[in-house]
């Protein structure tokens, strides 16, 4: 089993979600895809380090407190002089959200030499000037760490599909584990099927690729093997942070199985499909618990214990 000092490093944006509900009321939640992944890991007991960029303003202070309360450790240089980024979203009748962003990404990134697992994703991998630094960190980190990646695309920020596709495919090649939503793939490859892209990505470098389909569950592809993992029933309040909670659950499962670190790359590639399916099933349970409450609010490990549907890896 992994220990609380397992040296997980999450890299990416932290921001404030300003959510407009159907009734017109506004709520602010801390968020940002990589931040949500870090918080999920912290609440599951993995004490990740998080390299990000927040300001000294009130929103930045609230974000830093939220991260600390979830046992996430900010890396030096994560708090700077610029304003904290904001994502404005409006909920639809199904709890889904459309986003508009006021976001800058120019982080002061640490070295990744001591990390056994590095997670990257979303805007931080695409928005310059910081995206190039993230790519270089991933290239360096492969020498010591398992690399996990979730594109979690935001076309309103990075609308150049060709450029985005090129960067995404480079990160897929570098990653050991990729999680991607059906919505992301539909935007990236509008002429190709969900399954075809997952199959191609699984042969490009990763040991496992997981495609998520909301309530319809997930498709796990490992080499030439496909496994359908059913979705979990949940009373949906909103879907904010659900994919990030899934990603955090996936990473937690990898850590629990001892599949982190560059030295375990072969073991991950050769892991029994049944074991990988258990990890994906656990991740789905973490996501289901998250959609049942407002905002990006993943569960603590103790909240999952005792539930037959949410047994951890």
């Amino acid at each position: 089993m992994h220990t609380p000092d397992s040296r997980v490093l999450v890299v990416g944006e932290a921001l404030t979600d300003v959510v407009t509900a159907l009734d017109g009321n506004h709520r602010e939640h801390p968020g940002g895809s990589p931040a949500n992944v870090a918080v999920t890991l912290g609440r599951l007991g993995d004490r990740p380090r998080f390299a990000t960029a927040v300001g000294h303003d009130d929103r930045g202070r609230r974000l830093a407190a939220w991260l600390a309360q979830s046992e996430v450790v900010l890396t030096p240089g994560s708090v700077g002089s610029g304003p904290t980024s904001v994502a404005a979203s409006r909920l639809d009748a199904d709890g889904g959200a459309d986003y508009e962003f006021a976001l800058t990404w120019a982080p002061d990134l640490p070295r990744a030499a001591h990390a056994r697992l590095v997670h990257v994703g979303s805007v931080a991998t695409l928005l310059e000037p910081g995206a190039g630094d993230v790519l270089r960190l991933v290239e360096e980190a492969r020498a010591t760490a398992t690399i996990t990646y979730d594109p979690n695309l935001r076309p309103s920020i990075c609308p150049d599909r060709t450029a985005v596709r090129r960067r995404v495919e480079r990160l897929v090649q570098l990653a050991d584990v990729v999680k991607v939503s059906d919505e992301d793939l539909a935007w990236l490859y509008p002429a190709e099927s969900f399954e075809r892209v997952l199959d191609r990505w699984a042969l490009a470098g990763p040991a496992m690729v997981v495609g998520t389909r909301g309530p319809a569950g997930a498709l796990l592809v490992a080499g030439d093997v496909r496994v359908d993992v059913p979705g979990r029933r949940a009373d949906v309040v909103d879907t904010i942070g659900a994919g990030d909670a899934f990603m955090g659950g996936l990473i937690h499962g990898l850590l629990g199985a001892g599949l982190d670190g560059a030295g375990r790359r072969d073991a991950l590639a050769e892991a029994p499909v049944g074991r990988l399916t258990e990890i994906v099933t656990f991740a789905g349970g973490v996501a289901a618990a998250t959609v049942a409450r407002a905002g990006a609010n993943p569960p603590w490990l103790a909240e999952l214990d005792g539930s037959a549907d949410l047994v951890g890896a």
Side-chain angles (χ1 to χ4, degrees):
M1 295 296 291
H2 61 286
T3 59
D5 59 348
S6 57
R7 307 299 297 225
V8 179
L9 175 65
V10 178
V11 180
E13 70 272 11
L15 49 80
T16 297
D17 282 316
V18 181
V19 182
T20 303
L22 288 173
D23 60 9
N25 288 330
H26 300 280
R27 301 191 310 271
E28 291 199 3
H29 301 285
S33 175
N36 294 336
V37 173
V39 164
T40 303
L41 287 166
R43 293 184 181 186
L44 293 177
D46 299 308
R47 292 185 60 82
R49 292 179 297 146
F50 181 38
T52 190
V54 298
H56 280 292
D57 51 16
D58 287 343
R59 284 172 169 157
R61 284 186 283 273
R62 286 195 292 272
L63 274 164
W66 170 68
L67 291 162
Q69 288 163 4
S70 295
E71 302 188 16
V72 176
V73 179
L74 284 176
T75 62
S78 289
V79 180
S81 58
T84 298
S85 298
V86 174
S89 60
R90 182 174 295 275
L91 296 182
D92 60 28
D94 296 321
D98 293 321
Y99 291 88
E100 294 181 2
F101 293 85
L103 190 151
T104 57
W105 177 242
D108 181 5
L109 295 181
R111 298 292 297 273
H114 299 295
R116 288 185 55 83
L117 187 146
V118 173
H119 174 73
V120 299
S122 200
V123 176
T125 62
L126 297 169
L127 187 66
E128 298 294 358
D133 293 336
V134 174
L135 178 60
R136 284 185 287 275
L137 183 148
V138 169
E139 291 171 338
E140 173 191 311
R142 272 189 59 83
T144 57
T146 299
I147 306 298
T148 65
Y149 172 51
D150 176 8
N152 197 22
L153 302 176
R154 299 291 183 239
S156 62
I157 297 177
C158 305
D160 185 340
R161 198 186 323 251
T162 301
V164 169
R165 189 183 296 135
R166 187 181 307 118
R167 177 56 59 89
V168 167
E169 290 176 349
R170 175 58 181 151
L171 286 163
V172 168
Q173 291 171 347
L174 291 168
D176 298 291
V177 176
V178 176
K179 172 259 170 189
V180 64
S181 71
D182 52 357
E183 291 181 351
D184 281 352
L185 291 188
W187 184 82
L188 264 182
Y189 305 102
E192 289 190 74
S193 72
F194 177 72
E195 294 82 2
R196 179 182 175 87
V197 178
L198 294 182
D199 288 344
R200 190 172 73 250
W201 281 13
L203 297 175
M208 62 184 293
V209 178
V210 182
T212 58
R213 301 170 292 195
L219 183 62
L220 163 65
V221 184
D224 58 358
V225 177
R226 284 189 196 171
V227 180
D228 272 301
V229 182
R232 301 297 185 89
R233 295 181 62 85
D235 294 324
V236 178
V237 174
D238 66 49
T239 62
I240 296 172
D244 306 322
F246 187 106
M247 187 73 241
L250 201 61
I251 293 170
H252 178 78
L254 294 169
L255 299 172
L259 295 174
D260 58 310
R264 299 289 289 162
R265 189 160 280 132
D266 288 344
L268 175 58
E270 297 166 4
V273 172
R275 190 70 177 101
L276 300 181
T277 303
E278 290 175 359
I279 293 171
V280 174
T281 300
F282 173 73
V286 178
T290 303
V291 301
R293 42 196 180 184
N297 185 16
W300 292 82
L301 187 61
E303 295 179 277
L304 301 180
D305 290 346
S307 169
D309 286 339
L310 299 176
V311 176

